[in-house]
Amino acid sequence: MDLPVVDLAPFLGAAGGGEEEVRALCATVSASLRDTGALLVKDPRCSAADNDRFLDVVERYFARSADEKRLQERPHLHYQVGVTPEGVEVPRSLVDKDMQEKIKGMPEEFQPATPKGPDPKWRYMWRVGPRPANTHFKELNSEPVIPDGLPEWKETMDSWGSKMISAIEVVAEMAAIGFGLPKDAFTSLMKEGPHLLAPTGSDLQRHGSEGTVFAGFHYDLNFLTIHGRSRFPGLNIWLRNGKKMEVKVPVGCLLIQSGKQLEWLTGGECLAGMHEVVVTKRTLDAIALAKEQNRSLWRVSSTLFAHIASDAILKPLGHFAETPNADSYPPVRAGDYVEQELSVINLKGKDGL
């Protein structure tokens, strides 16, 4: 099964799309998020060249020595800005007993790879967009950390990050319309959210053997996640029907995945999409080609986590408050929810709430 590719141009008015076409596209967006937890989009404002420029800069950063990169480490801010070294983030499937039971119940061919321990990936967290002047969650809204010696870093990160947020906002509006909610039902809650451009860096020179797990089976705790195309494949997602699927992102497309905050706002109608990143046969082919072409062997993901504002309340919206599972999603401040989740995956002290 292939994920649908939704062109955002008609909704943006760039292609003169009629009302019927736009409504059909909105229905496709909401149905895909509900049924698969993911979809592919084409945004005329986000080009493949923009993504490549971003990957080039981040590859250069991750190629630095571990000691150089650790200068940007901020554990006291829950690693929510700056670099997270490899071996810090623990995949949820290693610590969540319910998730482990769920995995055992899956047919063998759909089971995720089993991680051996914390993820062997680096990650860089870069805040994108305006922060709130007053918030109960200072650590989740800290100033960005800028590495030395990369003068183009800030402009590249801000530019690509803001373009991806623009794409997410359009998808959020389309999803709201498709779900029968007001157009701004989601985007009004996203204003001044702690959005994070969060590329991962996985060293395929050291960790390039088939089956290596870079990101163990997990869901994303935010609202929607968006990825530009990586130069090395390896992302597997799980559809709502339990089937596992390796994602192929076409050139010029962006991948959107539903996160836990969207699950909350839809009363479980949309489930947070489960996924993992593993070295597959296709990854090995890409490694061989990169070696031939003398290119970087760092697998960089072009990932952005879009969040609901930290002080906003997460609860099922509109008609979703009447769904059978709505009681499983009691009102909670988004920032409290995020801190609780960060505690579980070893990015914050164990006290959670």
Side-chain angles (χ1 to χ4, degrees), residues 70-110:
R70 282 180 183 276
L71 297 174
Q72 285 79 52
E73 188 180 5
R74 301 290 185 272
H76 62 290
L77 297 175
H78 316 331
Y79 296 98
Q80 292 303 286
V81 288
V83 80
T84 307
E86 64 181 17
V88 171
E89 189 173 337
V90 174
R92 186 152 194 135
S93 53
L94 268 189
V95 290
D96 185 324
K97 296 280 184 281
D98 290 343
M99 197 177 279
Q100 288 165 4
E101 287 304 310
K102 186 177 160 189
I103 290 169
K104 278 183 200 158
M106 290 177 174
E108 207 165 310
E109 70 268 31
F110 300 144

Short mmCIF file of all heavy atoms in Angstrom, two decimals, residues 70-110:
data_model
loop_
_atom_site.label_atom_id
_atom_site.label_comp_id
_atom_site.label_asym_id
_atom_site.label_seq_id
_atom_site.Cartn_x
_atom_site.Cartn_y
_atom_site.Cartn_z
N ARG A 70 29.24 17.93 21.88
CA ARG A 70 28.72 17.99 23.26
C ARG A 70 28.73 19.42 23.83
O ARG A 70 28.09 19.69 24.84
CB ARG A 70 29.52 17.06 24.17
CG ARG A 70 29.10 15.59 24.02
CD ARG A 70 29.90 14.69 24.95
NE ARG A 70 29.56 13.29 24.76
CZ ARG A 70 28.53 12.67 25.34
NH1 ARG A 70 27.72 13.36 26.15
NH2 ARG A 70 28.29 11.40 25.12
N LEU A 71 29.45 20.33 23.20
CA LEU A 71 29.43 21.73 23.64
C LEU A 71 28.03 22.32 23.49
O LEU A 71 27.68 23.30 24.15
CB LEU A 71 30.44 22.57 22.82
CG LEU A 71 31.92 22.19 22.98
CD1 LEU A 71 32.77 22.99 22.01
CD2 LEU A 71 32.38 22.43 24.42
N GLN A 72 27.21 21.71 22.65
CA GLN A 72 25.84 22.20 22.44
C GLN A 72 24.81 21.39 23.26
O GLN A 72 23.60 21.50 23.03
CB GLN A 72 25.45 22.14 20.96
CG GLN A 72 26.09 23.22 20.10
CD GLN A 72 27.53 22.90 19.74
OE1 GLN A 72 27.81 21.82 19.24
NE2 GLN A 72 28.44 23.83 19.98
N GLU A 73 25.27 20.58 24.21
CA GLU A 73 24.38 19.72 25.00
C GLU A 73 23.78 20.51 26.16
O GLU A 73 24.49 21.22 26.86
CB GLU A 73 25.19 18.53 25.53
CG GLU A 73 24.40 17.44 26.19
CD GLU A 73 25.30 16.30 26.69
OE1 GLU A 73 26.53 16.40 26.61
OE2 GLU A 73 24.74 15.32 27.18
N ARG A 74 22.45 20.38 26.37
CA ARG A 74 21.76 21.10 27.46
C ARG A 74 20.84 20.14 28.23
O ARG A 74 19.61 20.25 28.16
CB ARG A 74 20.93 22.27 26.90
CG ARG A 74 21.73 23.32 26.11
CD ARG A 74 22.64 24.14 27.01
NE ARG A 74 23.31 25.21 26.27
CZ ARG A 74 24.48 25.07 25.63
NH1 ARG A 74 25.10 23.88 25.64
NH2 ARG A 74 25.03 26.08 25.00
N PRO A 75 21.42 19.18 29.00
CA PRO A 75 20.56 18.23 29.72
C PRO A 75 19.63 18.90 30.74
O PRO A 75 18.53 18.42 30.98
CB PRO A 75 21.56 17.29 30.41
CG PRO A 75 22.89 17.97 30.34
CD PRO A 75 22.85 18.91 29.19
N HIS A 76 20.07 20.04 31.34
CA HIS A 76 19.24 20.70 32.35
C HIS A 76 17.97 21.29 31.75
O HIS A 76 17.03 21.63 32.46
CB HIS A 76 20.05 21.78 33.08
CG HIS A 76 20.53 22.89 32.20
ND1 HIS A 76 21.52 22.70 31.25
CD2 HIS A 76 20.15 24.19 32.09
CE1 HIS A 76 21.74 23.84 30.61
NE2 HIS A 76 20.92 24.74 31.09
N LEU A 77 17.94 21.41 30.41
CA LEU A 77 16.72 21.87 29.71
C LEU A 77 16.02 20.69 29.04
O LEU A 77 15.35 20.84 28.01
CB LEU A 77 17.08 22.95 28.68
CG LEU A 77 17.69 24.24 29.27
CD1 LEU A 77 18.12 25.19 28.17
CD2 LEU A 77 16.71 24.92 30.22
N HIS A 78 16.19 19.50 29.62
CA HIS A 78 15.54 18.26 29.12
C HIS A 78 15.93 17.96 27.67
O HIS A 78 15.16 17.32 26.96
CB HIS A 78 14.01 18.34 29.22
CG HIS A 78 13.47 18.91 30.48
ND1 HIS A 78 14.13 18.80 31.69
CD2 HIS A 78 12.32 19.58 30.74
CE1 HIS A 78 13.41 19.39 32.62
NE2 HIS A 78 12.31 19.87 32.08
N TYR A 79 17.12 18.42 27.24
CA TYR A 79 17.57 18.22 25.85
C TYR A 79 16.57 18.79 24.84
O TYR A 79 16.51 18.35 23.69
CB TYR A 79 17.78 16.72 25.55
CG TYR A 79 18.87 16.07 26.37
CD1 TYR A 79 18.57 15.35 27.53
CD2 TYR A 79 20.21 16.19 26.00
CE1 TYR A 79 19.58 14.75 28.28
CE2 TYR A 79 21.23 15.60 26.75
CZ TYR A 79 20.90 14.88 27.88
OH TYR A 79 21.90 14.29 28.62
N GLN A 80 15.79 19.80 25.25
CA GLN A 80 14.79 20.36 24.33
C GLN A 80 15.36 21.48 23.47
O GLN A 80 14.67 22.03 22.61
CB GLN A 80 13.56 20.84 25.10
CG GLN A 80 12.77 19.69 25.73
CD GLN A 80 12.32 18.65 24.71
OE1 GLN A 80 11.40 18.89 23.95
NE2 GLN A 80 12.98 17.49 24.68
N VAL A 81 16.63 21.85 23.71
CA VAL A 81 17.40 22.68 22.79
C VAL A 81 18.80 22.10 22.71
O VAL A 81 19.25 21.41 23.63
CB VAL A 81 17.47 24.17 23.23
CG1 VAL A 81 16.14 24.87 23.05
CG2 VAL A 81 17.94 24.30 24.67
N GLY A 82 19.50 22.38 21.61
CA GLY A 82 20.86 21.88 21.45
C GLY A 82 20.89 20.41 21.08
O GLY A 82 19.92 19.86 20.58
N VAL A 83 22.03 19.78 21.37
CA VAL A 83 22.25 18.41 20.90
C VAL A 83 21.91 17.37 21.96
O VAL A 83 22.11 17.60 23.16
CB VAL A 83 23.72 18.24 20.41
CG1 VAL A 83 24.67 18.02 21.58
CG2 VAL A 83 23.85 17.10 19.40
N THR A 84 21.35 16.26 21.52
CA THR A 84 21.17 15.08 22.37
C THR A 84 22.15 14.03 21.85
O THR A 84 22.01 13.57 20.71
CB THR A 84 19.74 14.50 22.26
OG1 THR A 84 18.80 15.54 22.51
CG2 THR A 84 19.53 13.36 23.24
N PRO A 85 23.18 13.64 22.64
CA PRO A 85 24.15 12.66 22.15
C PRO A 85 23.52 11.27 21.96
O PRO A 85 22.47 10.97 22.53
CB PRO A 85 25.21 12.62 23.25
CG PRO A 85 25.02 13.87 24.04
CD PRO A 85 23.56 14.16 23.96
N GLU A 86 24.21 10.46 21.16
CA GLU A 86 23.74 9.07 21.01
C GLU A 86 23.78 8.39 22.38
O GLU A 86 24.56 8.76 23.25
CB GLU A 86 24.62 8.33 19.99
CG GLU A 86 26.07 8.18 20.40
CD GLU A 86 26.91 7.45 19.35
OE1 GLU A 86 26.49 7.34 18.19
OE2 GLU A 86 28.02 7.01 19.71
N GLY A 87 22.91 7.40 22.56
CA GLY A 87 22.92 6.64 23.81
C GLY A 87 22.19 7.31 24.97
O GLY A 87 22.29 6.86 26.10
N VAL A 88 21.45 8.41 24.70
CA VAL A 88 20.70 9.08 25.77
C VAL A 88 19.22 8.71 25.71
O VAL A 88 18.64 8.24 26.68
CB VAL A 88 20.87 10.62 25.69
CG1 VAL A 88 19.90 11.32 26.65
CG2 VAL A 88 22.30 11.03 26.00
N GLU A 89 18.61 8.92 24.53
CA GLU A 89 17.16 8.71 24.42
C GLU A 89 16.83 7.22 24.41
O GLU A 89 17.40 6.45 23.65
CB GLU A 89 16.62 9.37 23.14
CG GLU A 89 15.12 9.37 23.06
CD GLU A 89 14.58 10.19 21.89
OE1 GLU A 89 15.28 11.09 21.40
OE2 GLU A 89 13.45 9.91 21.47
N VAL A 90 15.91 6.84 25.29
CA VAL A 90 15.52 5.44 25.42
C VAL A 90 14.23 5.21 24.62
O VAL A 90 13.25 5.92 24.83
CB VAL A 90 15.28 5.07 26.90
CG1 VAL A 90 14.73 3.66 27.03
CG2 VAL A 90 16.57 5.23 27.70
N PRO A 91 14.21 4.23 23.70
CA PRO A 91 12.97 3.99 22.96
C PRO A 91 11.86 3.55 23.89
O PRO A 91 12.08 2.75 24.80
CB PRO A 91 13.34 2.90 21.96
CG PRO A 91 14.66 2.37 22.35
CD PRO A 91 15.30 3.33 23.31
N ARG A 92 10.68 4.08 23.66
CA ARG A 92 9.55 3.80 24.55
C ARG A 92 9.28 2.30 24.66
O ARG A 92 8.89 1.80 25.71
CB ARG A 92 8.32 4.53 24.03
CG ARG A 92 7.18 4.41 24.98
CD ARG A 92 6.19 5.52 24.98
NE ARG A 92 5.40 5.35 26.20
CZ ARG A 92 5.08 6.32 27.02
NH1 ARG A 92 5.46 7.53 26.78
NH2 ARG A 92 4.37 6.06 28.10
N SER A 93 9.55 1.57 23.56
CA SER A 93 9.24 0.13 23.57
C SER A 93 10.14 -0.64 24.54
O SER A 93 9.84 -1.79 24.87
CB SER A 93 9.39 -0.44 22.15
OG SER A 93 10.65 -0.11 21.61
N LEU A 94 11.22 -0.02 25.02
CA LEU A 94 12.09 -0.70 25.99
C LEU A 94 11.58 -0.54 27.43
O LEU A 94 11.97 -1.31 28.30
CB LEU A 94 13.51 -0.13 25.92
CG LEU A 94 14.53 -0.79 24.99
CD1 LEU A 94 15.91 -0.20 25.25
CD2 LEU A 94 14.59 -2.30 25.20
N VAL A 95 10.74 0.49 27.67
CA VAL A 95 10.36 0.80 29.06
C VAL A 95 8.86 0.75 29.30
O VAL A 95 8.42 0.82 30.44
CB VAL A 95 10.88 2.21 29.46
CG1 VAL A 95 12.39 2.20 29.59
CG2 VAL A 95 10.43 3.28 28.48
N ASP A 96 8.07 0.63 28.24
CA ASP A 96 6.61 0.66 28.36
C ASP A 96 6.06 -0.76 28.29
O ASP A 96 6.06 -1.39 27.24
CB ASP A 96 6.05 1.54 27.22
CG ASP A 96 4.54 1.75 27.32
OD1 ASP A 96 3.84 0.82 27.75
OD2 ASP A 96 4.08 2.84 26.94
N LYS A 97 5.62 -1.26 29.44
CA LYS A 97 5.16 -2.67 29.52
C LYS A 97 3.94 -2.92 28.62
O LYS A 97 3.83 -3.96 27.97
CB LYS A 97 4.80 -3.02 30.97
CG LYS A 97 5.99 -2.98 31.94
CD LYS A 97 6.83 -4.25 31.83
CE LYS A 97 7.97 -4.28 32.84
NZ LYS A 97 9.12 -3.48 32.46
N ASP A 98 3.01 -1.95 28.57
CA ASP A 98 1.83 -2.12 27.72
C ASP A 98 2.23 -2.26 26.25
O ASP A 98 1.68 -3.07 25.51
CB ASP A 98 0.87 -0.91 27.86
CG ASP A 98 0.20 -0.88 29.22
OD1 ASP A 98 0.21 -1.92 29.91
OD2 ASP A 98 -0.34 0.18 29.60
N MET A 99 3.22 -1.43 25.85
CA MET A 99 3.68 -1.48 24.47
C MET A 99 4.35 -2.82 24.17
O MET A 99 4.17 -3.40 23.09
CB MET A 99 4.65 -0.32 24.21
CG MET A 99 4.87 -0.03 22.73
SD MET A 99 5.96 1.39 22.47
CE MET A 99 4.83 2.74 22.72
N GLN A 100 5.10 -3.34 25.14
CA GLN A 100 5.77 -4.63 24.95
C GLN A 100 4.74 -5.76 24.76
O GLN A 100 4.93 -6.64 23.92
CB GLN A 100 6.69 -4.92 26.14
CG GLN A 100 7.93 -4.04 26.15
CD GLN A 100 8.66 -4.05 27.49
OE1 GLN A 100 8.29 -4.77 28.41
NE2 GLN A 100 9.70 -3.24 27.60
N GLU A 101 3.65 -5.68 25.52
CA GLU A 101 2.58 -6.69 25.37
C GLU A 101 1.94 -6.58 23.99
O GLU A 101 1.65 -7.59 23.34
CB GLU A 101 1.51 -6.49 26.45
CG GLU A 101 1.95 -6.94 27.85
CD GLU A 101 2.42 -8.40 27.88
OE1 GLU A 101 1.70 -9.27 27.37
OE2 GLU A 101 3.53 -8.64 28.39
N LYS A 102 1.74 -5.34 23.55
CA LYS A 102 1.13 -5.09 22.23
C LYS A 102 2.02 -5.68 21.13
O LYS A 102 1.53 -6.32 20.19
CB LYS A 102 0.97 -3.58 22.05
CG LYS A 102 0.23 -3.16 20.79
CD LYS A 102 0.08 -1.64 20.79
CE LYS A 102 -0.20 -1.12 19.40
NZ LYS A 102 -0.15 0.34 19.31
N ILE A 103 3.35 -5.51 21.27
CA ILE A 103 4.28 -6.03 20.27
C ILE A 103 4.21 -7.55 20.22
O ILE A 103 4.19 -8.16 19.14
CB ILE A 103 5.73 -5.55 20.58
CG1 ILE A 103 5.85 -4.03 20.31
CG2 ILE A 103 6.76 -6.32 19.75
CD1 ILE A 103 7.13 -3.41 20.83
N LYS A 104 4.15 -8.17 21.40
CA LYS A 104 4.07 -9.64 21.46
C LYS A 104 2.84 -10.18 20.73
O LYS A 104 2.85 -11.27 20.18
CB LYS A 104 4.03 -10.11 22.93
CG LYS A 104 5.39 -10.17 23.58
CD LYS A 104 5.25 -10.72 25.01
CE LYS A 104 6.46 -10.35 25.85
NZ LYS A 104 6.17 -10.38 27.29
N GLY A 105 1.77 -9.40 20.76
CA GLY A 105 0.52 -9.83 20.13
C GLY A 105 0.47 -9.60 18.64
O GLY A 105 -0.49 -9.99 17.98
N MET A 106 1.52 -8.97 18.07
CA MET A 106 1.51 -8.70 16.62
C MET A 106 1.94 -9.94 15.85
O MET A 106 2.78 -10.72 16.34
CB MET A 106 2.53 -7.59 16.29
CG MET A 106 2.18 -6.21 16.76
SD MET A 106 3.55 -5.10 16.32
CE MET A 106 2.88 -3.53 16.80
N PRO A 107 1.42 -10.13 14.61
CA PRO A 107 1.97 -11.19 13.76
C PRO A 107 3.48 -10.94 13.57
O PRO A 107 3.91 -9.79 13.51
CB PRO A 107 1.24 -10.99 12.43
CG PRO A 107 0.04 -10.18 12.75
CD PRO A 107 0.37 -9.36 13.95
N GLU A 108 4.24 -12.02 13.51
CA GLU A 108 5.70 -11.88 13.50
C GLU A 108 6.22 -10.95 12.40
O GLU A 108 7.12 -10.14 12.64
CB GLU A 108 6.34 -13.27 13.34
CG GLU A 108 7.74 -13.32 13.96
CD GLU A 108 8.24 -14.75 14.14
OE1 GLU A 108 7.49 -15.57 14.70
OE2 GLU A 108 9.35 -15.00 13.68
N GLU A 109 5.59 -11.03 11.20
CA GLU A 109 6.13 -10.22 10.08
C GLU A 109 5.90 -8.71 10.28
O GLU A 109 6.53 -7.89 9.61
CB GLU A 109 5.56 -10.67 8.73
CG GLU A 109 4.09 -10.36 8.50
CD GLU A 109 3.16 -11.49 8.92
OE1 GLU A 109 3.49 -12.24 9.87
OE2 GLU A 109 2.08 -11.62 8.31
N PHE A 110 5.00 -8.36 11.22
CA PHE A 110 4.74 -6.94 11.46
C PHE A 110 5.39 -6.43 12.75
O PHE A 110 5.24 -5.27 13.10
CB PHE A 110 3.23 -6.68 11.52
CG PHE A 110 2.49 -7.05 10.26
CD1 PHE A 110 1.21 -7.58 10.31
CD2 PHE A 110 3.09 -6.87 9.01
CE1 PHE A 110 0.52 -7.92 9.15
CE2 PHE A 110 2.41 -7.20 7.84
CZ PHE A 110 1.13 -7.72 7.91
#
